[in-house]
Amino acid sequence: MPNLGVFVAWGLITALFIPTGWIPNAHLAALVSPILTYLLPLLVGFTGGYIVHGQRGGALGALATMGIIIGSNVTMLGGAMIIGPFAAWLMKKVDHYLEGRFRAGFEMLISNFSMGIVGLVITLLGYLIIGPVISVLIHILSAGVNWSIAHEVLPLISIFVAPAQVLFLNNAINHGIMGPLGLQQVAEHGKSVLFLVDANCGPSVGTLLAISFFGKGMAKKTAPTAALIAGVGGIGEVYFPFVLMKPVLVFATMAGITTSLTCFLMLGGGTVATPSPGSFFAMLVLTPKGAMLGNLVGFFAGMAVAFAVATVLLKMDKSPEEADAPELADADPHAAAALNQEALARVHGVTIRKIIVACDAGMGSSAMGASILRTKLKKAMLDIDVKNAKIEEVPKDVDLIVTHAQLFDRAKKLHDNGKVVFMSITNFMEGGQYDSIVEYVKNSRGG
């Protein structure tokens, strides 16, 4: 996720300069293959290693990734996701074992040689064994994807993708599965429809528009803004709580994804990289020459079908409006309140000066949450530093961490030092859920 901007840059170079691009240029197109083959996997391997064991783990992750790159004949993004963190984990275990076992003055020598020996072993393993094994697995997965496309059954993947999205597995699907396979297809065909399996926001926008017209209560009031954020801003997380509140609507999105993928395949749609954020405009920017019609038709067809199905489902709903009025929660709000009370009981006398709103990726939902909280604190005349971050990358000088209830335990495990305050919410987009946080900050400052 931290490297997505580089992936987008590579996608733009590809879309512009390859022989089928918008402005073909053989000299500039020479950049495409080396970046895909070497730079992108190395970035992923370094980042995975860095998360596990800091700079030392990152360097070893990059070295190990180089081994599998040279030892295989396919793009090694998937391999980098595996071997980068593994190499760093191995180094971390070795460092822990060696700690305190040598006299003072030998630390630098031991540190460098232990890293060199571990690097030698893991690089050789990657080159001789791990790379070829992962290469075979990628070939099998690619063959399966190609078979599903050739037999026109890829659209049925929506049966799994639509429910997985609303369970906040969208990033895992998009960047962990579809991204690496899509880049392999780009290397072969110049584009891939796999980038649009999850990143196409048309079906979710269609569902939100139906709620805007035919929904009830708070959902109807907030859906128009959510549709704008999802379609233009590309933050798909704003759509998830609406479906979690009324799960039957997942069938609307499912039908929309199926329709979009069918149109993409029939009309030659696809992009050259993952649209990130997954907005309509990001999709257009990464659309190669010859795929624009397919992408436009697929996007709007998926939106229309999702809108139509969601409209039918909403009109069939006979529940009273009050049943639809509670906050758009994707977890039990009472459970979240209990977590907050437990956390606050453990920390006393902390003055809040810096707040981090943390989510899994540190981009979409946490950015929106931080903006909402920042606005509320300003209205309460509280000058507090509020930022968003990936949950693994919360800075050490933070006083209060706000995160989703499902990420609460993970945040505590990573950052609980007895001084940091943790508070949970169940919906990053629901402004009312930040009121108790504002009240706590006010009280901590003697307000």
Side-chain angles (χ1 to χ4, degrees):
M1 292 294 292
N3 301 312
L4 278 178
V6 180
F7 281 77
V8 171
W10 175 83
L12 293 174
I13 292 170
T14 304
L16 290 172
F17 303 125
I18 62 174
T20 57
W22 292 100
I23 45 176
N25 185 303
H27 182 63
L28 296 178
L31 292 166
V32 173
S33 181
I35 293 175
L36 175 63
T37 303
Y38 298 104
L39 178 62
L40 299 184
L42 286 170
L43 282 174
V44 170
F46 175 86
T47 303
Y50 185 87
I51 290 171
V52 173
H53 194 37
Q55 179 68 29
R56 193 167 167 85
L60 205 61
L63 176 64
T65 301
M66 196 66 189
I68 63 172
I69 290 172
I70 299 172
S72 64
N73 56 1
V74 296
T75 304
M76 268 292 134
L77 278 171
M81 292 178 186
I82 297 170
I83 202 168
F86 174 69
W89 174 83
L90 190 62
M91 188 72 256
K92 187 176 183 179
K93 292 297 182 182
V94 171
D95 285 345
H96 180 72
Y97 175 78
L98 295 176
E99 187 176 358
R101 291 179 178 268
F102 296 91
R103 292 182 180 180
F106 289 90
E107 293 89 351
M108 183 69 72
L109 179 67
I110 299 302
S111 175
N112 287 338
F113 271 89
S114 63
M115 186 175 178
I117 293 169
V118 172
L120 168 67
V121 172
I122 195 68
T123 303
L124 290 177
L125 283 174
Y127 178 69
L128 297 172
I129 300 173
I130 300 174
V133 170
I134 293 175
S135 180
V136 170
L137 292 175
I138 292 175
H139 277 303
I140 293 172
L141 290 173
S142 297
V145 169
N146 291 332
W147 180 90
S148 66
I149 292 174
H151 290 77
E152 300 180 351
V153 296
L154 181 66
L156 296 181
I157 201 173
S158 64
I159 297 172
F160 306 102
V161 171
Q165 283 179 327
V166 297
L167 294 175
F168 289 83
L169 295 174
N170 55 313
N171 287 322
I173 294 170
N174 201 14
H175 305 296
I177 301 172
M178 298 301 167
L181 293 176
L183 286 172
Q184 187 66 32
Q185 287 195 336
V186 171
E188 297 172 4
H189 309 295
K191 64 182 176 182
S192 176
V193 72
L194 298 180
F195 296 126
L196 298 176
V197 170
D198 173 77
N200 168 31
C201 63
S204 56
V205 171
T207 303
L208 289 170
L209 290 175
I211 298 171
S212 303
F213 287 101
F214 306 107
K216 299 175 182 178
M218 184 64 70
K220 183 174 183 177
K221 295 176 183 177
T222 55
T225 301
L228 181 65
I229 293 171
V232 178
I235 302 174
E237 287 84 353
V238 299
Y239 145 81
F240 303 158
F242 291 86
V243 176
L244 287 164
M245 184 184 65
K246 194 175 291 295
V248 70
L249 290 176
V250 75
F251 292 105
T253 312
M254 195 181 294
I257 293 173
T258 301
T259 302
S260 287
L261 288 174
T262 301
C263 293
F264 293 148
L265 291 173
M266 290 177 61
L267 300 174
T271 59
V272 293
T274 302
S276 183
S279 73
F280 174 70
F281 297 105
M283 181 190 74
L284 295 184
V285 168
L286 294 174
T287 297
K289 188 177 180 181
M292 186 63 74
L293 176 63
N295 285 353
L296 289 173
V297 172
F299 179 89
F300 287 108
M303 181 192 297
V305 169
F307 178 87
V309 175
T311 297
V312 172
L313 294 172
L314 290 168
K315 284 184 173 292
M316 291 171 61
D317 180 25
K318 303 301 181 184
S319 61
E321 184 165 324
E322 289 73 21
D324 219 25
E327 69 263 57
L328 307 175
D330 48 341
D332 182 2
H334 301 294
L339 287 173
N340 289 344
Q341 290 300 321
E342 179 188 348
L344 295 178
R346 296 173 60 247
V347 182
H348 301 283
V350 177
T351 300
I352 307 301
R353 299 182 180 86
K354 183 172 184 177
I355 300 175
I356 294 293
V357 182
C359 70
D360 197 36
M363 295 184 179
S365 48
S366 62
M368 293 295 299
S371 177
I372 293 171
L373 179 57
R374 194 179 299 115
T375 300
K376 283 182 169 288
L377 289 168
K378 284 183 178 179
K379 288 182 178 179
M381 307 295 289
L382 294 169
D383 184 18
I384 306 290
D385 183 16
V386 181
K387 293 188 171 76
N388 63 293
K390 184 177 180 179
I391 197 165
E392 285 86 3
E393 298 177 0
V394 173
K396 300 294 185 184
D397 60 343
V398 64
D399 302 305
L400 170 60
I401 299 175
V402 179
T403 190
H404 191 278
Q406 294 176 348
L407 301 173
F408 190 81
D409 290 338
R410 184 168 150 201
K412 287 178 62 179
K413 183 178 179 180
L414 288 168
H415 306 293
D416 191 0
N417 58 9
K419 299 179 181 179
V420 178
V421 180
F422 297 86
M423 296 190 75
S424 67
I425 53 177
T426 58
N427 185 349
F428 282 105
M429 309 305 158
E430 178 59 41
Q433 297 203 18
Y434 295 92
D435 291 341
S436 61
I437 298 172
V438 174
E439 189 64 27
Y440 173 78
V441 173
K442 187 185 297 184
N443 293 335
S444 79
R445 297 169 72 89

